[in-house]
Amino acid sequence: MENKVLVTGGYGLVGSEFKKPNFIPLSSSEADLRIREDVDNIFKTIKFDSVIHCAGKVGGLGGNMYNKGQFFYDNIMINTNVIESARVHGIKNLVAFLSTCVFPDKVEYPLTESKIHLGPPHFSNDAYAYAKRMSDVQIRAYKEQYGLNYKTVIPTNIYGPNDNYDIINGHVIPSLIHKCYLARENNTDFEIWGSGNPLREFIFSKDIAKLTEWVLDNYEENEPIILSTSEEISIKEVVGVITELMNFKGNVRWNMSKPDGQFRKPSDNSKIKNYLPDFKFTPLYDGLKETIEYFEKNYNIIRK
Ligand code: GDP
């Protein structure tokens, strides 16, 4: 029988991209992962072999800045419970998601897997970042003490169809798509936060799912592994692609009273490239096109 894989956050941006029948999605309505008993019940009900742990309280710059207490508590509880309960229930293999937010604010670029703990994270998302860093600590400790083949991945900014398009708390791409849509429909300005100069590395949710599946089956190093195209693009350029794809002809307004966040956080993807030299990342234009088509078709039912 094929391995049964539990996918926490199974209906989210990344979780919903694991399509094979032996990948079993868990939704937040089925279990409150902050509660240990709920987590234990999942493993008692079905005998899983592995876990892909995508669930978490996540948000963009706004969500992180304005909800630090909640982001800390929810994430530290969810991760601690899922990893410990998996161990107790004999789960052999697990992948958990970190984020490039975990890296120190002041660090020599590019970001590599060995630099996570070298200094405090950026103030805008420090509570979330510290909670996430602890998954790395927990997983390394479990590997050392219990010999478990658990590991973490560090994706850069993920985007894709099944995102949360919340304008205040969402990540930049889904927020911009939603704002551009409203500006086009209502004939208003399309408002962007900050200067548009910050640089980010975006990766398509479907690429993340493929790479994570590979990591689950094949990756055995102690360190996390960065999942990234290592191609930087400015927010301004992203705005250009979105306005083109959404056929927006109105006024774009740069709201300088809103934060820029970290200026850049370039990552070094050589580890994953060495393992998978032929992997083809989805070009940003193609991924955005697919995402926007999905958004426009499903406006009434998407998270927003
Ligand atoms: P980050 O990579 O953790 O900072 O998260 P985001 O995905 O939220 O990206 C934030 C970057 O996008 C910052 O440079 C923001 O100034 C810029 N940005 C521009 N407009 C928006 C917006 O409407 N929402 C968000 N979240 N960011 C925006």
Side-chain angles (χ1 to χ4, degrees):
M1 207 180 64
E2 223 174 348
N3 276 351
K4 272 205 182 74
V5 185
L6 171 72
V7 182
T8 70
Y11 296 88
L13 173 61
V14 174
S16 61
E17 298 299 346
F18 296 100
K19 313 267 194 204
K20 291 186 185 153
N22 59 317
F23 284 68
I24 297 160
L26 181 78
S27 87
S28 53
S29 61
E30 291 171 87
D32 183 342
L33 301 178
R34 294 170 303 180
I35 298 168
R36 176 62 193 276
E37 210 187 335
D38 273 28
V39 183
D40 285 340
N41 283 337
I42 300 163
F43 291 116
K44 280 182 198 153
T45 315
I46 300 181
K47 181 89 192 75
F48 289 103
D49 300 283
S50 335
V51 174
I52 294 183
H53 176 40
C54 307
K57 181 76 192 165
V58 298
L61 184 53
N64 266 292
M65 277 179 81
Y66 309 132
N67 304 287
K68 283 192 181 183
Q70 192 194 356
F71 273 56
F72 180 81
Y73 181 81
D74 286 1
N75 285 299
I76 201 118
M77 295 307 287
I78 289 172
N79 297 333
T80 308
N81 283 337
V82 169
I83 296 165
E84 171 66 0
S85 186
R87 176 191 79 81
V88 168
H89 291 90
I91 303 297
K92 297 279 180 303
N93 198 353
L94 176 147
V95 179
F97 274 77
L98 304 181
S99 142
T100 44
C101 296
V102 302
F103 284 103
D105 180 28
K106 296 196 172 38
V107 68
E108 201 177 307
Y109 290 133
L111 305 171
T112 65
E113 288 84 355
S114 60
K115 295 180 182 170
I116 299 177
H117 300 283
L118 297 185
H122 191 260
F123 75 93
S124 62
N125 53 31
D126 50 4
Y128 175 80
Y130 276 119
K132 281 274 176 186
R133 278 187 192 183
M134 288 309 115
S135 301
D136 173 58
V137 173
Q138 190 180 4
I139 277 174
R140 283 176 200 252
Y142 281 33
K143 200 166 226 166
E144 211 178 296
Q145 183 178 351
Y146 308 120
L148 288 168
N149 184 27
Y150 291 5
K151 47 239 165 178
T152 50
V153 291
I154 309 180
T156 50
N157 288 47
I158 310 172
Y159 71 99
N162 200 13
D163 215 331
N164 176 3
Y165 293 86
D166 184 311
I167 283 172
I168 314 263
N169 296 311
H171 285 107
V172 56
I173 285 186
S175 296
L176 291 182
I177 290 174
H178 193 177
K179 287 200 281 193
C180 186
Y181 172 87
L182 293 175
R184 190 190 67 198
E185 298 302 302
N186 302 326
N187 242 327
T188 50
D189 284 357
F190 175 20
E191 187 220 57
I192 321 291
W193 294 358
S195 62
N197 294 326
L199 303 170
R200 293 291 182 272
E201 293 171 356
F202 294 101
I203 183 161
F204 196 39
S205 54
K206 296 184 184 198
D207 293 352
I208 289 287
K210 283 184 205 151
L211 293 170
T212 303
E213 232 181 282
W214 180 87
V215 169
L216 182 72
D217 293 336
N218 301 288
Y219 186 70
E220 301 210 329
E221 292 184 40
N222 278 332
E223 276 186 342
I225 182 162
I226 290 175
L227 305 182
S228 163
T229 62
S230 289
E231 280 172 23
E232 287 187 293
I233 176 165
S234 72
I235 301 298
K236 215 173 260 167
E237 285 170 276
V238 174
V239 169
V241 180
I242 290 176
T243 50
E244 181 196 322
L245 286 169
M246 297 191 78
N247 199 22
F248 177 73
K249 308 276 187 228
N251 185 40
V252 175
R253 186 161 49 84
W254 304 90
N255 185 346
M256 301 296 284
S257 71
K258 291 285 190 182
D260 262 342
Q262 253 167 310
F263 178 63
R264 63 191 290 243
K265 32 187 179 176
S267 68
D268 177 350
N269 70 355
S270 30
K271 199 189 270 278
I272 189 76
K273 286 290 265 187
N274 282 341
Y275 280 111
L276 299 174
D278 298 326
F279 187 81
K280 295 268 177 296
F281 290 99
T282 306
L284 183 68
Y285 187 92
D286 298 353
L288 277 177
K289 189 161 182 286
E290 192 175 328
T291 303
I292 288 168
E293 277 167 10
Y294 179 88
F295 171 89
E296 301 254 21
K297 255 195 218 119
N298 295 284
Y299 186 73
N300 292 329
I301 54 163
I302 53 164
R303 285 181 290 157
K304 55 183 180 291

